[in-house]
Amino acid sequence: MKLQIIFPKWPADSLWGQIYFRFPYLVLTSLAALTPDEWDVSILDENVEPIDFTHPPDLAAISLMTPLAKRGYEIADNFRKQGVPVVLGGIHPTTMQEEAGVHADAVVLGEAEKTWSQVLSDFKKGTLRSFYQPSGFCRLEGLRVPRRDLLRRKSYFFVNTLQTTRGCPFDCEFCSVTSFYGWTYRTRPVHEVIDEIGQMEKGFLFFVDDNIAGTHAYAKVLFEALIPLKVKWFSQSSLSIAKDKELLKLAQKSGCKGLFIGFESLSQDSLKAMGKSINRVAEYREAVAAIHDHNIGIQGSFIFGTDYDDATVFSDVLRFIEKIRLEAVLFSILTPFPGTRIREVLARENRIIHNNWERYDMNHVVFQPKKITPVQLQEGFNWAYDRLYGYRSIFKRLFPFGRNSLFFGIQNHGFRQAWKKTVIRNDALD
Ligand code: B12
């Protein structure tokens, strides 16, 4: 029995379709690892190789995040037309069950660990159910080691994506994580993480955790255990890490080269409305300096379009990040993803313009902002990215070179190239 696990491609002219430093989505290798040995399993990341519909598997499993739902459904419909059953899973099908059900023989809700072998055995018996809902969240003890051997190695910049925790202790209104993982923050046994790293190729690690410093006590044990491995790593964290000098020191010693941190806004009112009051704007400079002092670079995340944002927000944010010298930045337009609290609010106020999921990539305006027009928001976002990835800003933020310049140099170059080729198709605003 052949099983193919698929991650759909980004539109070629989208920002994410253009990024050249690719690394694999952990779900592909994780789901393959959960698949019993009797299956002939393969994984296909459509961002690095095309699907060969002329040689279909016996069963196709597709992982969907919201902006890739349209492409995922096309793939699913195509397979099903040929009589190949399809299972859909991931964050989008979990929050849009009925919609996903139209394109699938089965929809797996939530995490796969508790249900996947049941799905496969039901399939073999011909008793596949329409929906599979796990009872609660899985334990992170004894997670299977992802099947990295199945990856097309040459297609990726690096392949070492792994996870140490799931969930986030916070519940920001724009974020899908807490609605998906519940109000839980689960950690893997540190020795299992270390064993897994021992089985991986040498080189850079990306911990795809939502918040690697969600509990400082766990993070300290983890970082301490990483020190002898002499690895270099990158992950996501909340800004709270900056307040704990001991944790920062351990992060530095364990090889942390950069952290993706959600600043989100320079307006304390916006942060309050987002449910992210743990961020104190007044403390940003000091926090950034503390992280930089430990030779850790920062990729900051900022969201445009809250009810407090007016037309000045774009230049204010840009000026600020150049001043505090964030090595890299991800700008996002506020996006009402299914399952989030911001979607409920905007839907209640009748402010969602459309549900064309392909445009839910945080680069397109899909809702009516309060203080500016959708066109102003889109144009302000485009302007901010043009400036951010112009050489002037890159130079201002990275010079004098030192703090992990190579890593962030590649990151800035990659985003600059990708942004130049990105086409924003905001048909909703025409
Ligand atoms: C790592 C990560 C990234 C990396 C991705 C790169 C990479 N190659 O891995 C980076 C930092 C580049 C990134 C960027 C973006 N990301 Co991101 N990212 C994540 C993060 C933190 C972890 C994803 C992950 O690998 N998890 C580990 C795997 C094992 O878990 P999983 O995918 O959820 O799969 C499990 C279950 O969902 C289920 N499952 C999933 N698929 C399937 C399929 C089947 C058939 C079955 C049975 C089960 C199943 O089983 C798995 C095991 O339990 C998630 C948050 C999260 N916790 O999911 C956000 C998340 C996926 N990202 C999100 C977004 C919006 C983006 C961006 C659009 C943001 C932006 N401003 O541009 C970009 C898109 C870029 C891209 N190329 O993907 C959103 C998606 C929301 C949505 N509704 O779609 C999330 C959920 C974060 C959030 N705050 O809401 N991201």
Side-chain angles (χ1 to χ4, degrees):
M1 283 291 206
K2 285 196 168 135
L3 167 73
Q4 190 167 50
I5 306 170
I6 297 169
F7 203 91
K9 69 176 173 201
W10 288 85
D13 54 8
S14 69
L15 179 66
W16 293 104
Q18 289 291 343
I19 296 281
Y20 65 73
F21 48 88
R22 295 188 190 285
F23 36 98
Y25 293 95
L26 188 59
V27 60
L28 292 172
T29 46
S30 300
L31 208 53
L34 289 173
T35 304
D37 289 344
E38 67 207 21
W39 283 82
D40 176 4
V41 60
S42 62
I43 59 186
L44 190 141
D45 177 354
E46 210 194 355
N47 295 289
V48 303
E49 66 180 305
I51 299 170
D52 180 358
F53 286 103
T54 61
H55 289 90
D58 298 299
L59 180 66
I62 308 175
S63 179
L64 295 183
M65 64 194 291
T66 300
L68 302 181
K70 182 168 174 255
R71 176 62 192 155
Y73 293 154
E74 273 167 17
I75 299 169
D77 295 347
N78 211 327
F79 274 129
R80 294 177 85 211
K81 253 187 239 149
Q82 296 187 56
V84 178
V86 170
V87 184
L88 294 178
I91 198 133
H92 189 75
T94 300
T95 43
M96 296 298 297
Q97 309 174 14
E98 299 303 322
E99 175 193 286
V102 173
H103 303 273
D105 296 274
V107 179
V108 174
L109 309 174
E111 295 173 310
E113 280 76 5
K114 283 189 169 187
T115 48
W116 188 229
S117 56
Q118 182 69 50
V119 176
L120 294 175
S121 107
D122 285 356
F123 171 76
K124 284 180 89 175
K125 286 188 280 180
T127 56
L128 204 56
R129 300 202 304 267
S130 302
F131 295 97
Y132 288 82
Q133 167 97 61
S135 56
F137 299 99
C138 72
R139 294 169 61 85
L140 298 191
E141 286 82 7
L143 281 188
R144 299 279 182 85
V145 175
R147 291 283 311 273
R148 299 187 179 89
D149 56 304
L150 297 175
L151 290 169
R152 247 166 77 116
R153 177 63 188 92
K154 64 177 186 328
S155 305
Y156 295 103
F157 201 63
F158 62 92
V159 289
N160 291 340
T161 46
L162 74 163
Q163 213 174 23
T164 70
T165 63
R166 279 191 194 170
C168 179
F170 308 114
D171 182 20
C172 303
E173 72 166 358
F174 56 84
C175 180
S176 311
V177 168
T178 300
S179 78
F180 186 80
Y181 285 113
W183 208 286
T184 68
Y185 185 71
R186 288 161 291 157
T187 58
R188 287 179 68 191
V190 168
H191 69 91
E192 292 187 15
V193 176
I194 301 299
D195 281 354
E196 185 176 329
I197 295 172
Q199 296 175 45
M200 290 159 68
E201 68 174 47
K202 296 275 166 282
F204 203 76
L205 306 177
F206 179 14
F207 293 107
V208 298
D209 297 39
D210 299 304
N211 184 352
I212 199 160
T215 61
H216 291 198
Y218 174 81
K220 283 178 189 171
V221 179
L222 174 71
F223 298 168
E224 190 109 50
L226 288 173
I227 295 172
L229 306 187
K230 299 196 184 321
V231 290
K232 291 185 175 145
W233 61 270
F234 185 91
S235 190
Q236 314 200 106
S237 162
S238 50
L239 202 53
S240 69
I241 194 169
K243 289 204 168 152
D244 188 335
K245 295 286 147 45
E246 187 194 348
L247 184 56
L248 275 181
K249 185 114 238 123
L250 286 170
Q252 177 182 17
K253 278 176 134 180
S254 68
C256 178
K257 296 295 161 196
L259 290 171
F260 179 92
I261 295 180
F263 294 82
E264 321 305 2
S265 179
L266 298 182
S267 146
Q268 201 62 48
D269 287 332
S270 287
L271 290 165
K272 191 170 172 215
M274 287 173 180
K276 198 152 184 170
S277 299
I278 43 145
N279 276 10
R280 311 296 308 169
V281 178
E283 296 170 0
Y284 279 178
R285 277 168 201 268
E286 203 187 323
V288 166
I291 296 171
H292 279 166
D293 282 348
H294 289 81
N295 210 30
I296 296 171
I298 300 173
Q299 175 167 21
S301 155
F302 287 86
I303 296 181
F304 294 130
T306 73
D307 284 356
Y308 297 90
D309 285 350
D310 60 23
T312 61
V313 68
F314 311 102
S315 53
D316 287 352
V317 168
L318 193 69
R319 209 173 313 118
F320 185 74
I321 60 185
E322 286 174 354
K323 205 158 230 159
I324 58 171
R325 302 188 57 229
L326 293 188
E327 285 81 355
V329 175
L330 186 72
F331 286 143
S332 295
I333 293 174
L334 186 67
T335 300
F337 286 111
T340 57
R341 282 188 288 120
I342 189 67
R343 186 170 181 84
E344 285 169 30
V345 173
L346 294 176
R348 210 167 37 237
E349 297 173 359
N350 229 350
R351 291 166 62 192
I352 295 179
I353 300 174
H354 64 71
N355 286 332
N356 177 359
W357 302 131
E358 206 177 14
R359 303 284 182 259
Y360 276 59
D361 61 356
M362 304 195 96
N363 293 336
H364 291 82
V365 181
V366 301
F367 78 103
Q368 184 69 46
K370 208 162 221 171
K371 287 195 172 169
I372 45 177
T373 64
V375 173
Q376 279 177 304
L377 176 53
Q378 187 68 63
E379 287 178 351
F381 169 83
N382 297 352
W383 175 87
Y385 253 158
D386 282 346
R387 290 299 170 101
L388 180 76
Y389 289 113
Y391 284 127
R392 227 174 100 90
S393 179
I394 295 179
F395 194 76
K396 270 191 189 170
R397 290 181 290 105
L398 293 187
F399 194 80
F401 301 121
R403 236 175 353 247
N404 312 314
S405 317
L406 179 64
F407 175 80
F408 284 105
I410 294 172
Q411 201 277 357
N412 276 275
H413 181 261
F415 266 82
R416 180 186 157 79
Q417 296 299 102
W419 177 248
K420 276 202 306 197
K421 293 185 202 150
T422 300
V423 182
I424 298 293
R425 292 181 201 288
N426 215 329
D427 20 21
L429 310 184
D430 294 341

